[in-house]
Every structure is written in structure tokens, then in C-alpha cells.
Amino acid sequence: MAAVPQIHPAPTVKLLINGKFVESKARNWRDVVNPATQEVLARVPMCDADEVDEAVKAAAEAFKTWKNTPIGVRARIMLKLQELIRRDMKKLAACLTAEQGKTLPDAEGDVFRGLEVVEHACSIGTLSLGELAENVATGVDTYFIRQPIGVCAGITPFNFPAMIPLWMFPMAIVTGNTFVLKPSEQDPMTPMLLAELAMEAGVPPGVLNVVHGGKESVDAICTHPTIQAVSFVGSCHVGEHVYKLSSTHGKRAQCMMGAKNHAIVMPDANKEQSLNALVGAGFGAAGQRCMATSVAVMVGAASEWIPDIVAKAKTLKINGGTVPGADLGPVISKQAKARIEGLIAKGVEEGCKLELDGRNPKVPGYENGNFIAPTIFSGVKRHHSVYTEEIFGPVLVIVSVDTLDEAIALTNANPYGNGTGIFTQSGAAARKFQNEIDVGQVGINVPIPVPVPYFSFTGSRGSKLGDLGPYGKQVIQFYTQVKTVTARWFDDAATTGGVNTTISLK
């Protein structure tokens, strides 16, 4: 009798609870799929409220001692973590490409932008300083100190599985808090590698915990009475839910959400640099960036450059992320591909001019991949679906206007306010734009104006809920509470001068 071949199931993604990587007891599991090949890479658990509670209890117990850990000790752990991330950069990028689909160079960029935040966390000694005013009254000093708030949590999206977890947990724990991370169930393997590095760097048991899942685990995080703050990056629909649920349960919340980023191109702009910027920012990462340039607003004679944009977009190479020279890989899932293709079809149906159709590209060796090539619409108006919807794919829509004032009004009328940019050689036009535009992050001849970590990621209107953003100075405020102390000291021979029944200090 012939031997029956053994079927080796895909490995399971573990939880990190109290310093140990453990198997989930979840009843439901989901496949982690390579979007370029449909290979099942792993199985991730859909955790329930009980497993979230277990992680939170571990974090709460660890907080009792971690909050009093010297700043220098916390900073040295961050120094070690950044060293380990650099050591394993290639390994992290390879994992990220396999489960998310980005090209290897883009995956390394994903890791590197997160690494910059870890490097910034090493400056916690300076970042956490308070202030003191001496002699606010006779012999009285007032000062404030920053203290950690407790157990915090982060919910991260699929499009940056390294960068956005690194936006969150390093800054939370270096300020003395403990943390529960819930990464995207679509690509959880890269965050788990980061968690392993955090353990190797010396993060104590319970200070960082990782759970997985969908809505049940998200809701458990937002409603758990022990969690003090929730940080979220992702879609508007989920972000609004997270913000409302967290806020109504007494938590601080910061939610960075959807976008429709406009790039205004003036006729005096450097043509070649502007075209390169538009195409790179519009189609890089297959358009799956919240800061992607998804709308090009061509002002006046700049509309004559549309054929040049199309020609440049045609030169981009679409392929599997590990193929050398690939400019963009697949989108994250078959469902995402179908949604993007549906919006492209709707754009055609509504009368927009399809300058470049990226549907159904042929990618030899990756016939089952979720590929969409660069797609460009022109003649787009404000009511068209390709303008009103966040497509989150490699689709650039072009709107033509006559003046800069029209371009500013168009951008400000859009419900989103994540990022924008202007391409011009006029300082007056650039200054007018930065002053009048109602968008959180503004680029001047810069297509993706994501600030470096010593500033803070911002956003406005429909792109952000909560007044403090991730990383930078704002996140120090988010993860700490201010305690103000007013102090007067007397020596043994001092007299008080009698009872003072007023509220003044003299």
C-alpha cells in the first residue's frame, strides 16, 4: 500500500502575552495569504474578548513596576531595539513583501520609517522633561512632571505592517506605559517579528503584548476598563467606530483615517520633477498609502502635461515584490482588487476619460496575483465616484482648473484633510497655498509630506479624530499625564504669619 502523504498545515501566528509567545485558543482562524501568489503563509487567530483580557491583565501587572523603571533603562532598550531592527532589516522586508505584496525596496522603506521613530524614542530623557517656575509667590515654586497613564493599545492597518506598529508601541512603552498591540489580521507576521526583537532588546514580560483578530478583539480593546488610551490607523469606517467606542468608555483616542490627497500642479512647476513625483506618489505601493497622491489638480496650462503623465506611468513595471526592478506589486487581497476594479468601471460609466486602463495586467509567473497596473482618469469632476471615494489602489484621477484659488477651494471642500502638495517655482504661490489650505500635512514640491519623527503626523477634518497625532512631541502628551506641584518649604525657625483664608499665595 502506498504511503499516504502527510499534509503539513500552515504555521500558526502566536500571541505575545506576559513575555511568552503562546498558541491562541481561538475557535476561528484566518489564512494569511501572499497577494502575489495566493500561497497560504500562516493561519492567524481571531481572538475573543477573553484573550484580549488576558493580555491587558499582563500589561496592568507589568505597569506596576515598569512605570518606575528609570528613563535611562527604557532609553537603552530602545537603543538596542533600533540596533536589532537594523540587523534584521532584510529579514523583516522579506516577510513584509511576502504577506503584504510591496516591492522589497518599498518594504525596506516601510521598516526604515518605523526605525526612525524608535531612534527618536531613544531621546526620551529630553522629550519627557517638565517645567519649573521659581518663586511664583514668596518661597513658593510650581512645577509639572509627566507621568505614564497606564495600559495603552494600538490597532494597526495592513498597508504598513512594520512602520505603523513602530509608530505606536516604542513611544508608548518608552514613556513608561505598557501596551497591547492588535495588528492587521491580513499581515500579522511582520509585527510578530518586531515583537520578537522587542523581547530580545530587553522589554520586560507584560510591557508589550500582542493579540490578533477582527471586530471582536477591536471592540474588546475599545471597551476594556483597564485600557487608558487607544491609537488607531486605518479606514474611516473603522476609525469612526473605534473613536466613538473608545471615547464613550472614557479613553483617550487618536484615530488617523482615510484620505483623498490632492497635488496641485502650477504651470510654472519644474515639469520633469513634478511628473516623477506625481507618478511615484500615485502608484508606489500599488496606491495603498494613506498619503498617496490620488488626485492631480492641473492648473491652467499644466493640463497640457496629461499625456506626459500617462507616458511616464506606462514605464512602471508591475511584478511580484521580490522581482528586481519591480515598481509596484499586487494589492492586498482579491476583495480589494475587485473593489478597485469596480470603481474604475464606475468611473468609465460616469463619463470620466480613462487615459490608462490598468485592469487585468499580464504578469508572467504571477497569474494568480492581485495585480492592477497604473490607471489614470482625466476630465474628473467633484461628483464622480472616482473622486469622492478613497480608492486605495493604483488609480490617479486628474482634475483641471483655471486658477490656484480654484485648486485651493477644491481641496478644502473635500471631506478629507490628510495630505496635500503644491508643485511650483513661485514662493508667493507656495506661501499662499500653505496659509490657506485646510489640510494637516502640506508638501511644497514634495509629493508625500509625511513628517520626520521629531515632528508629529497630523491630518484634519475627515482624516483624523482626536487632537494629538502619532509620534513626535504630540504623542508624548498623548501617552502621559501632567501633574502640577506647588511647593513651599519652611525651616524650623520660620513662622507662618497666621491663618490665610483666601485662595492667594503671598
Side-chain angles (χ1 to χ4, degrees):
M1 180 181 296
V4 178
Q6 291 186 335
I7 299 176
H8 298 284
T12 56
V13 180
K14 305 298 189 288
L15 312 181
L16 172 59
I17 297 180
N18 202 28
K20 297 179 180 178
F21 292 92
V22 298
E23 195 75 66
S24 171
K25 302 179 183 67
R27 296 182 301 275
N28 299 315
W29 295 71
R30 172 178 175 147
D31 289 341
V32 179
V33 177
N34 183 321
T37 64
Q38 308 309 314
E39 175 193 0
V40 176
L41 303 173
R43 296 168 62 241
V44 62
M46 299 290 102
C47 294
D48 59 17
D50 289 340
E51 288 186 317
V52 172
D53 182 61
E54 188 178 351
V56 174
K57 285 178 178 176
E61 184 63 27
F63 179 67
K64 295 176 183 178
T65 53
W66 180 246
K67 66 181 178 180
N68 295 319
T69 301
I71 288 176
V73 173
R74 292 185 238 145
R76 283 188 286 275
I77 290 174
M78 290 298 111
L79 283 166
K80 183 62 177 178
L81 178 58
Q82 65 86 25
E83 175 192 335
L84 296 175
I85 292 172
R86 289 182 183 278
R87 181 197 71 188
D88 287 0
M89 179 75 76
K90 298 292 185 184
K91 177 181 177 181
L92 288 163
C95 180
L96 198 158
T97 293
E99 64 177 347
Q100 202 277 342
K102 290 183 182 181
T103 65
L104 279 172
D106 197 23
E108 288 194 26
D110 186 330
V111 178
F112 182 77
R113 290 309 300 266
L115 172 63
E116 289 182 316
V117 178
V118 181
E119 292 171 339
H120 187 55
C122 298
S123 302
I124 187 59
T126 301
L127 295 172
S128 60
L129 294 178
E131 296 178 1
L132 181 147
E134 188 179 34
N135 287 324
V136 296
T138 303
V140 177
D141 304 328
T142 297
Y143 52 94
F144 78 74
I145 55 178
R146 291 194 175 277
Q147 294 184 322
I149 58 176
V151 180
C152 303
I155 301 164
T156 61
F158 75 84
N159 57 330
F160 285 94
M163 182 183 78
I164 296 180
L166 290 173
W167 279 9
M168 295 183 184
F169 78 79
M171 297 306 298
I173 66 177
V174 82
T175 47
N177 302 286
T178 54
F179 202 79
V180 177
L181 175 67
K182 206 298 288 182
S184 171
E185 65 276 18
Q186 297 189 81
D187 45 14
M189 297 163 62
T190 303
M192 292 310 297
L193 289 179
L194 293 172
E196 291 177 14
L197 295 183
M199 295 300 100
E200 185 179 347
V203 173
V207 172
L208 173 63
N209 304 273
V210 186
V211 296
H212 303 285
K215 186 177 186 301
E216 185 174 357
S217 59
V218 167
D219 287 356
I221 286 170
C222 296
T223 59
H224 199 289
T226 303
I227 292 176
Q228 302 298 309
V230 176
S231 182
F232 169 87
V233 177
S235 70
C236 279
H237 174 71
V238 179
E240 290 169 356
H241 173 77
V242 167
Y243 187 81
K244 182 177 180 180
L245 197 59
S246 297
S247 299
T248 56
H249 284 80
K251 307 181 193 316
R252 299 181 183 187
Q254 56 173 214
C255 295
M256 315 308 296
M257 306 184 298
K260 198 73 176 179
N261 303 317
H262 296 61
I264 285 72
V265 183
M266 301 297 291
D268 69 339
N270 182 295
K271 183 177 179 180
E272 188 64 19
Q273 290 182 348
S274 300
L275 294 179
N276 286 336
L278 284 177
V279 172
F283 304 120
Q288 297 174 120
R289 295 171 177 153
C290 69
M291 288 293 289
T293 296
S294 50
V295 182
V297 184
M298 313 302 287
V299 179
S303 291
E304 298 172 6
W305 299 356
I306 292 175
D308 301 289
I309 297 173
V310 173
K312 193 168 286 286
K314 287 181 177 178
T315 67
L316 297 183
K317 298 179 179 62
I318 181 169
N319 218 320
T322 58
V323 176
D327 294 303
L328 62 156
V331 297
I332 188 65
S333 66
K334 288 188 176 297
Q335 293 80 2
K337 179 174 183 285
R339 178 183 175 276
I340 295 164
E341 289 178 337
L343 283 166
I344 295 172
K346 197 165 186 179
V348 174
E349 180 185 325
E350 292 177 351
C352 302
K353 183 179 180 182
L354 186 58
E355 299 275 359
L356 182 62
D357 188 352
R359 291 172 291 183
N360 301 313
K362 299 295 183 287
V363 185
Y366 294 92
E367 288 77 10
N368 295 321
N370 310 321
F371 292 98
I372 299 177
T375 299
I376 298 174
F377 281 104
S378 66
V380 176
K381 304 298 181 184
R382 286 172 55 173
H383 65 277
H384 288 138
S385 297
V386 291
Y387 179 78
T388 59
E389 296 282 335
E390 183 183 21
I391 300 174
F392 222 65
V395 180
L396 177 67
V397 302
I398 299 176
V399 180
S400 296
V401 299
D402 294 327
T403 67
L404 175 58
D405 284 331
E406 289 181 68
I408 291 172
L410 174 77
T411 305
N412 286 345
N414 192 275
Y416 297 109
N418 208 36
T420 188
I422 186 170
F423 293 88
T424 181
Q425 296 189 72
S426 166
R431 192 177 189 284
K432 174 184 174 69
F433 182 76
Q434 75 174 32
N435 183 55
E436 297 182 10
I437 206 71
D438 181 17
V439 173
Q441 287 148 149
V442 179
I444 298 174
N445 297 312
V446 173
I448 303 178
V450 177
V452 291
Y454 25 95
F455 291 88
S456 296
F457 193 94
T458 53
S460 64
R461 294 182 281 134
S463 293
K464 179 185 177 185
L465 291 172
D467 63 337
L468 298 171
Y471 64 81
K473 293 180 180 179
Q474 290 185 19
V475 88
I476 300 297
Q477 299 176 54
F478 183 74
Y479 285 129
T480 60
Q481 56 191 353
V482 170
K483 182 179 289 183
T484 304
V485 181
T486 301
R488 170 183 276 166
W489 296 96
F490 303 101
D491 59 35
D492 291 341
T495 60
T496 63
V499 176
N500 180 10
T501 60
T502 73
I503 63 171
S504 64
L505 291 172
K506 296 181 180 179

